[in-house]
């Protein structure tokens, strides 16, 4: 697999030998990676460099022909239980030990009734006893950005950049009202943050610094001293506008962002070997230095997040998304850690649920570091999971969070983020087993069309095997991320892709087909809770629900929103 991180916003990831891909990161770069010779474009006047890149895929250890199937996870110490003050037993490694007898996931743990709970009869989330559909999107920025002038800057994208002349600048509240009153009828926002977002005086979230100043700060509509203030006001405005929030820990560091696959991640990272690429994070580590993070600090972060509703006088936080795309952990290891996350939430807040993502198709074995990985079971080896998509291990190693306070949250993406081998037409011998850049160079076709029954069946098998089975067992399942650029491989933020895939039939919209196939699947499964990636359009691989003025020819439009994407709105309106 290869890395693809588009400028404007770093979204997708995949590397050679790594099973699974990622989205929902942070940053603002222009890059086409993983061996693709693409073009990025020039600087957009905001210090967010654009340039092109060529990546060699960042050596990552083999993974059973890229499938992630094969041997069981390695042995090792599990997470252990948390104490009353949230201190854990240290970062776990290897397979989990919290459920050696494979006890089934309990229904309840005797905790008192609260605002948000799961109906055990059907897995639907309830709010004050009434079933609700989670309809929402991701609004990113506060988790930190890949910014050359101000690395790790924590600021919310709101469509009102300081350099854009605007007589009526967009506000957070106006956007919230539009999200709730339009055909979208959103009632939820997933808001990613980093541990540093909670630190009021953190230099990367200090908005009084003017050289360099933050990029999207129109002081009339973003009147905050720091990222912590912006976070707190956002939560209060969401509450005022009848929007619930899923608050997520998106990384161990605002500097590492999407790269982090574990709490104490360290270089080399998946983009460490990328060529002609300015946005590397090798100067930062979650193991040592200013961003050092560990299991106990993570639990302390969760505790502080769980205390926010009482502190702010709000009751709209559905729960805490314990860690974004924990792709370097095995399922047993991550399941034990997620239980510790829940224990802290339950100690501090009777109203929230725990939101738990899946793992990937590979994991870091005990004692290893960097990009040393081994396969993680995920079922059919020809159906690769996205980072955060793989819950296959739940069957053999059931998580011990009570079902009435647990929502599983898979992330899944189509070819705009990464062309998986299950997307590729395997009828040509030279295309068998190929994916992404290798498939493009072999001029392979794609099968992603709603009219292709075989393709639909293959995608449905992938989703059923990785997470759909959980809904069948009456677990709460909220798709935490899905999305994509509709006209892929045409992408104004990554024009090199159109050249790479120029052999594909003109006018085909493969990612749009994939997105609608997934929506069809969710409707068929009656599993329609979702938060789409993303609300804001600065996501290079996916775009947003809002359109923006940026084009490859006119980069000054970066950060200027131009209205809702009616096609995406209509698609999401089908989810009822």
């Amino acid at each position: 697999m290869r890395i693809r991180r588009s400028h404007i916003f770093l979204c997708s990831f995949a590397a050679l030998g790594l099973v699974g891909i990622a989205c929902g990161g942070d940053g603002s770069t222009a890059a086409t990676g993983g061996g693709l010779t693409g073009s990025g474009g020039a600087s957009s006047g905001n210090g967010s460099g654009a340039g092109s890149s060529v990546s060699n895929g960042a050596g990552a250890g083999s993974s059973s022909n890229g499938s992630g199937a094969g041997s069981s996870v390695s042995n090792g110490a599990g997470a252990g239980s948390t104490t009353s003050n949230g201190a854990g037993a240290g970062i776990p490694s290897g397979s989990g030990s919290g459920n050696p007898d494979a006890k089934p996931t309990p229904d309840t743990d005797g905790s008192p009734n609260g605002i948000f709970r799961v109906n055990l009869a059907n897995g639907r989330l309830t709010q004050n006893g009434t079933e609700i559909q989670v309809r929402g999107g991701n609004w990113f920025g506060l988790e930190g950005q890949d910014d050359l002038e101000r690395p790790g800057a924590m600021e919310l994208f709101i469509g009102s950049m300081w350099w854009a002349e605007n007589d009526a600048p967009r506000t957070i509240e106006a956007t919230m009202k539009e999200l709730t009153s339009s055909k979208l009828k959103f009632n939820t926002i997933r808001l990613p943050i980093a541990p540093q977002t909670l630190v009021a005086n953190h230099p990367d979230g200090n908005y009084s610094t003017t050289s360099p100043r933050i990029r999207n700060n129109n002081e009339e509509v973003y009147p905050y001293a720091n990222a912590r203030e912006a976070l707190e006001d956002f939560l209060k405005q969401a509450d005022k506008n009848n929007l619930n929030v899923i608050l997520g820990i998106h990384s161990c560091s605002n500097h590492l962002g999407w790269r982090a696959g574990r709490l104490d991640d360290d270089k080399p990272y998946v983009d460490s070997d990328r060529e002609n690429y300015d946005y590397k994070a090798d100067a930062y580590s979650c193991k040592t230095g200013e961003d050092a993070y560990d299991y106990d600090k993570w639990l302390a972060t969760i505790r502080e997040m769980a205390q926010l509703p009482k502190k702010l006088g709000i009751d709209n936080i559905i729960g805490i998304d314990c860690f974004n795309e924990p792709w370097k952990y095995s399922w047993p290891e991550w399941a034990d850690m997620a239980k510790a996350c829940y224990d802290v939430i339950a100690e501090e807040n009777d109203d929230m649920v725990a939101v738990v993502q899946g793992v990937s198709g590979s994991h870091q074995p005990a004692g290893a570091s960097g990009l040393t990985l081994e396969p993680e079971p995920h079922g059919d080896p020809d159906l690769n999971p996205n980072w955060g998509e793989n819950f296959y291990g739940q069957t053999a190693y059931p998580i011990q969070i009570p079902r009435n306070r647990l929502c599983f949250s898979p992330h899944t993406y189509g070819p705009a983020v990464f062309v998986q081998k299950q997307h590729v037409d395997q009828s040509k011998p030279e295309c068998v087993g190929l994916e992404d850049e290798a498939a493009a160079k072999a001029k392979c076709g794609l099968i992603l069309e709603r009219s292709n029954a075989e393709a639909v069946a293959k995608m449905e098998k992938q989703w059923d095997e990785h997470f759909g089975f959980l809904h069948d067992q009456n677990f709460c399942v909220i798709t935490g991320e899905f999305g994509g650029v509709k006209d892929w491989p045409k992408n104004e933020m990554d024009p090199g892709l159109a050249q790479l895939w120029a052999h594909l039939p003109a006018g085909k919209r493969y990612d749009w087909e994939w997105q609608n196939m997934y929506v069809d699947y969710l409707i068929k499964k009656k599993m329609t809770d979702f938060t789409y990636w993303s609300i804001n359009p600065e996501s290079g691989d996916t775009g947003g629900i809002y359109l923006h003025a940026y084009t490859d020819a006119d980069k000054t439009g970066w950060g200027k929103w131009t209205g809702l994407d009616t096609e995406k709105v209509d698609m999401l309106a089908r989810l009822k």
Side-chain angles (χ1 to χ4, degrees):
M1 296 185 179
R2 72 172 181 82
I3 300 167
R4 180 193 298 146
R5 287 270 168 177
S6 301
H7 79 281
I8 305 302
F9 169 66
L10 298 180
C11 180
S12 67
F13 160 78
L16 286 172
L18 291 177
V19 176
I21 50 175
C23 195
D26 38 63
S28 175
T29 73
T32 308
L36 163 65
T37 303
S39 67
S43 164
S44 59
N46 58 359
S48 64
S52 61
S53 75
V54 179
S55 168
N56 61 9
S62 62
S63 63
S64 184
N65 196 29
S67 69
S71 61
S72 61
V73 299
S74 60
N75 294 324
S81 59
T82 59
T83 66
S84 60
N85 65 1
I91 297 176
S93 60
S95 64
S97 64
N99 188 16
D101 300 323
K103 295 178 293 186
T105 298
D107 286 344
T108 67
D109 63 356
S111 57
N113 291 330
I115 294 175
F116 296 101
R117 288 294 185 270
V118 176
N119 184 337
L120 295 176
N122 58 14
R124 296 307 299 265
L125 189 69
T126 65
Q127 185 171 4
N128 293 315
T130 301
E131 288 186 8
I132 63 171
Q133 180 199 8
V134 175
R135 297 187 54 82
N138 292 265
W139 198 337
F140 63 84
L142 283 176
E143 77 283 4
Q145 311 304 316
D146 283 341
D147 188 320
L148 292 181
E149 290 190 348
R150 193 168 178 170
M154 296 176 286
E155 49 179 320
L156 190 69
F157 292 102
I158 63 172
S160 292
M161 302 302 175
W162 59 262
W163 61 84
E165 295 293 332
N166 196 335
D167 294 333
R170 176 175 289 276
T171 66
I172 292 172
E173 184 173 27
T175 300
M176 288 180 172
K177 289 185 182 300
E178 191 168 25
L179 292 172
T180 56
S181 63
S182 68
K183 195 174 181 180
L184 286 167
K185 292 183 171 57
F186 275 7
N187 60 17
T188 304
I189 292 173
R190 179 172 176 261
L191 187 69
I193 66 171
Q196 293 79 4
T197 314
L198 297 169
V199 181
N201 296 317
H202 196 283
D204 297 331
N206 180 355
Y207 299 159
S208 65
T209 301
T210 58
S211 182
R213 67 183 295 182
I214 59 172
R215 295 168 298 177
N216 65 333
N217 187 1
N218 180 316
E219 295 176 358
E220 294 181 3
V221 297
Y222 200 77
Y224 310 116
N226 53 57
R228 174 69 185 242
E229 277 192 17
L231 166 65
E232 292 186 358
D233 187 61
F234 184 93
L235 296 175
K236 289 188 283 189
Q237 289 199 55
D239 189 50
K240 176 183 174 183
N241 287 280
N242 299 313
L243 280 161
N244 294 324
V245 176
I246 296 172
L247 199 56
I249 303 177
H250 214 64
S251 184
C252 57
S253 162
N254 63 307
H255 293 120
L256 289 193
W258 57 272
R259 300 167 185 82
R262 56 182 294 128
L263 302 181
D264 61 342
D265 219 341
D266 195 15
K267 58 182 178 293
Y269 304 117
V270 293
D271 60 348
S272 291
D273 289 343
R274 294 179 76 176
E275 300 174 5
N276 303 320
Y277 179 63
D278 296 327
Y279 298 91
K280 297 177 183 179
D282 289 4
Y284 303 99
S285 170
C286 282
K287 188 176 289 292
T288 60
E290 64 176 291
D291 293 329
Y293 202 59
D294 58 26
Y295 184 76
D296 290 340
K297 288 182 178 180
W298 172 60
L299 295 181
T301 299
I302 294 164
R303 188 174 301 279
E304 188 169 1
M305 294 165 72
Q307 293 169 345
L308 282 171
K310 183 176 181 180
K311 172 179 170 38
L312 301 178
I314 59 177
D315 61 2
N316 63 326
I317 299 183
I318 291 174
I320 294 173
D321 195 336
C322 295
F323 196 72
N324 189 67
E325 297 175 351
W327 59 276
K328 286 189 176 180
Y329 293 117
S330 69
W331 173 255
E333 187 177 10
W334 173 237
D336 284 356
M337 294 174 66
K339 174 58 163 62
C341 171
Y342 165 75
D343 287 344
V344 172
I345 293 171
E347 286 177 14
E348 296 293 339
N349 192 299
D350 291 332
D351 295 321
M352 292 181 180
V353 301
V355 179
V356 178
Q357 297 179 38
V359 292
S360 185
S362 56
H363 67 265
Q364 191 175 82
S369 61
L371 299 175
T372 300
L373 302 170
E374 63 181 31
E376 172 70 16
H378 61 85
D380 189 331
D382 291 325
L383 300 175
N384 285 349
N386 188 83
W387 282 359
E389 179 182 313
N390 182 15
F391 293 88
Y392 187 81
Q394 165 70 9
T395 299
Y397 194 89
I399 201 167
Q400 292 302 291
I401 299 172
R403 195 160 57 88
N404 72 330
R405 296 191 69 177
L406 166 67
C407 286
F408 289 122
S409 189
H411 292 188
T412 189
Y413 285 97
V417 171
F418 188 81
V419 180
Q420 299 276 19
K421 57 186 173 183
Q422 60 261 34
H423 303 160
V424 175
D425 184 353
Q426 302 286 308
S427 63
K428 294 171 61 176
E430 63 270 27
C431 293
V432 173
L434 298 185
E435 56 192 4
D436 213 69
E437 180 196 349
K441 288 184 174 180
K443 299 190 182 308
C444 300
L446 302 184
I447 64 172
L448 296 175
E449 295 187 72
R450 280 171 281 179
S451 60
N452 185 334
E454 179 184 356
V456 171
K458 184 177 288 190
M459 295 303 102
E460 289 186 351
K461 181 182 179 184
Q462 170 191 337
W463 299 321
D464 268 339
E465 197 166 54
H466 295 159
F467 57 85
F469 71 94
L470 298 168
H471 176 74
D472 299 337
Q473 298 171 6
N474 293 325
F475 283 98
C476 172
V477 179
I478 303 171
T479 300
E481 292 184 17
F482 79 103
V485 173
K486 297 181 303 181
D487 295 325
W488 180 93
K490 180 182 178 182
N491 182 350
E492 292 285 354
M493 294 175 278
D494 197 351
L497 286 173
Q499 301 171 22
L500 185 69
W501 292 94
H503 62 279
L504 293 177
K508 294 286 188 181
R509 306 171 82 194
Y510 290 106
D511 197 84
W512 189 234
E513 288 291 300
W514 181 95
Q515 290 185 57
N516 278 278
M517 288 166 71
Y518 186 60
V519 167
D520 291 343
Y521 169 78
L522 294 179
I523 294 170
K524 178 180 177 180
K525 294 285 288 189
K526 298 182 180 179
M527 191 172 66
T528 57
D529 294 324
F530 71 93
T531 54
Y532 188 80
W533 190 276
S534 58
I535 290 172
N536 44 313
E538 289 83 12
S539 176
D541 288 350
T542 67
I545 293 170
Y546 281 93
L547 300 167
H548 62 155
Y550 177 93
T551 66
D552 185 47
D554 182 10
K555 298 174 179 60
T556 61
W558 187 87
K560 184 178 180 180
W561 303 5
T562 59
L564 290 167
D565 184 322
T566 57
E567 279 193 296
K568 288 187 174 181
V569 169
D570 288 343
M571 178 188 70
L572 296 176
R574 297 200 290 123
L575 292 167
K576 302 179 190 287

